[in-house]
Amino acid sequence: MTQSPVADELASFRDRQARDAAVLDKQLFFIASCSKSGSTWLQHLLDGHRQVCCYGEAFFPTHLRPLFEQVATVYNRSHKAGHERNRQQRSGDLQPDDVRHLYRSAVAGIMARWGGDHPEVLAVGDKTPENAVGAASLLDDFPEARIIHLIRDGRDVCVSGWFHNLREKGDAFRQQFPDLAAYIPVMAGQKWKPYIQHTRQVGEQRPEQYLEVSYEQLQADPQPTVARLLAFLGVDASEAEVRTCIDAGDFRRLSGGRAQGEEARDDFYRKGTAGDWRNHFDARCEAVFMQHAGDLLQQLGYAEA
C-alpha cells in the first residue's frame, strides 16, 4: 500500500530529527581566532582526520543565532498584538528554550550536510574567526562543545591581513588605508587584541572545554601539537593519524605546489611563515602596534617588555 504524501513528509521529518540528534551527540567543536591567524590551515589539518569533520565559515553565534532571536521577537510582538484581550493565548509565544532548540537544530542540519552525520565521524567542528567573540554563546547553547583557540603573533596577523585586503579590495582598501601603519590600529586594536582577550576569558571560565594553540607552535613542532588537538577532541591520536593530518595541512598541497615561504601575493595562501612582519614593519609600524596592542603582545610572549 502506497503511503500518502503527508506520511512521507512526516517520515522524512522524523529521519531528519534523528540525523540532527545524532550530530548533536558527537563532539562538537569551534575554532576561534582573529582572522589571518591560520584558522583555514587548522581547519584543513583537522578535516584530514577520518574521524573529524571540520568546515567553515558558518558564523553561527554572530549571524545565525541573532536571526532566530529576531524572528522570535517579531513573532511574539505580532502575537501579543493579535491577542491583547486574551492573555491565555500568550502561551503561544516563542520562549528562549524554543529559540535555542530551533537554533541547535539548524546548526545540526548544516553540520550534517558538511558530512558530520557520517557514522565514522566522532567530532564535528566549525572554523569561523568570529567564534572568538561568540565563544561564550557557543558554550551556552552547546554545553558539551569545545573551543580551540588559535593565536598568532599580531604583527604577522597585520601583515597577512594587509596583503589579503589589498588582493581582495584593491584600490578601495588602499584609499582607506594608504599604508600598513594606517591599517594596524584596526587589525591589532579592534580585532586581534579584543578577540584574543574575549576567548581567553571564556577559557578561564571553562578550562576543561578550552584548548589554546599558537600558529608558531603548530608550525615549529606539529606532531605533538596535532596529537594534543586530536586528544582534546577525543579521536584517534595515533602517530599515523597525526601524520595524515599534517599532510592534509601541508602548505605545498594547499598552495598548489609552492614551497613554504615562497610568496605569492595573489593567492590566499600567500607565504605560510612565521615572523614575516620583520620584512614589512618599519619603526612607525612597530610604534603604532605597541600603542594599540603591545601589552597583549608582551603578555603572550611575542615581545620582551
Side-chain angles (χ1 to χ4, degrees):
M1 183 175 179
T2 304
Q3 285 194 131
S4 69
V6 173
D8 288 341
E9 185 67 26
L10 285 174
S12 176
F13 176 70
R14 293 190 183 99
D15 287 344
R16 177 156 185 172
Q17 282 188 312
R19 183 196 68 181
D20 292 349
V23 171
L24 293 174
D25 281 339
K26 297 176 188 282
Q27 178 59 70
L28 302 187
F29 68 95
F30 302 94
I31 297 174
S33 68
C34 176
S35 57
K36 311 313 297 177
S37 294
S39 58
T40 302
W41 169 38
L42 180 56
Q43 173 199 326
H44 285 292
L45 189 150
L46 291 174
D47 194 58
H49 194 289
R50 61 186 173 84
Q51 296 175 326
V52 179
C53 172
C54 187
Y55 207 76
E57 299 172 353
F59 295 92
F60 290 136
T62 55
H63 289 41
L64 187 60
R65 185 64 156 94
L67 288 174
F68 276 102
E69 293 170 353
Q70 290 174 25
V71 167
T73 298
V74 172
Y75 175 78
N76 290 345
R77 187 182 297 129
S78 63
H79 195 245
K80 177 181 179 181
H83 298 285
E84 192 65 38
R85 296 181 181 178
N86 187 353
R87 294 192 175 275
Q88 290 183 345
Q89 294 292 333
R90 296 298 309 286
S91 62
D93 281 2
L94 284 170
Q95 302 298 322
D97 283 350
D98 299 322
V99 174
R100 176 172 292 182
H101 170 72
L102 293 169
Y103 168 60
R104 285 167 55 88
S105 297
V107 169
I110 292 169
M111 286 183 158
R113 286 196 293 276
W114 293 346
D117 60 342
H118 192 282
E120 191 175 26
V121 169
L122 302 180
V124 190
D126 164 69
K127 181 277 297 187
T128 303
E130 281 70 20
N131 285 341
V133 295
S137 170
L138 286 167
L139 294 185
D140 284 343
D141 287 319
F142 303 96
E144 303 301 319
R146 301 202 162 187
I147 300 292
I148 296 175
H149 187 195
L150 181 63
I151 295 177
R152 186 183 189 184
D153 187 323
R155 296 164 295 187
D156 276 335
V157 169
C158 288
V159 170
S160 182
W162 168 256
F163 284 112
H164 173 80
N165 281 286
L166 284 177
R167 186 185 74 249
E168 292 288 315
K169 302 175 183 178
D171 291 340
F173 178 74
R174 178 74 82 167
Q175 288 175 5
Q176 185 178 5
F177 302 104
D179 55 27
L180 177 58
Y183 173 66
I184 288 172
V186 173
M187 190 56 153
Q190 297 180 25
K191 294 192 72 175
W192 183 75
K193 180 177 177 178
Y195 277 31
I196 290 176
Q197 289 178 326
H198 181 86
T199 313
R200 284 189 129 196
Q201 184 177 30
V202 173
E204 290 174 1
Q205 296 166 350
R206 312 277 282 272
E208 71 285 354
Q209 294 171 266
Y210 174 87
L211 180 64
E212 186 173 292
V213 176
S214 77
Y215 176 97
E216 295 79 14
Q217 178 187 35
L218 187 59
Q219 190 175 86
D221 205 9
Q223 288 191 319
T225 308
V226 172
R228 189 157 58 99
L229 283 161
L230 299 181
F232 179 67
L233 297 178
V235 299
D236 186 354
S238 64
E239 185 176 342
E241 291 294 345
V242 169
R243 186 70 257 170
T244 298
C245 291
I246 293 173
D247 289 344
D250 181 71
F251 182 83
R252 190 179 293 276
R253 174 179 293 184
L254 295 176
S255 68
R258 281 183 292 114
Q260 193 169 18
E262 183 181 343
E263 187 175 26
R265 294 187 179 182
D266 60 345
D267 192 84
F268 180 85
Y269 299 99
R270 181 182 62 90
K271 199 170 184 180
T273 58
D276 189 44
W277 65 270
R278 295 182 178 87
N279 298 316
H280 302 281
F281 265 49
D282 57 18
R284 178 168 166 245
C285 288
E286 290 187 36
V288 172
F289 187 95
M290 295 305 289
Q291 176 187 352
H292 289 273
D295 55 343
L296 181 60
L297 194 75
Q298 293 169 2
Q299 182 183 338
L300 294 172
Y302 286 116
E304 294 182 359

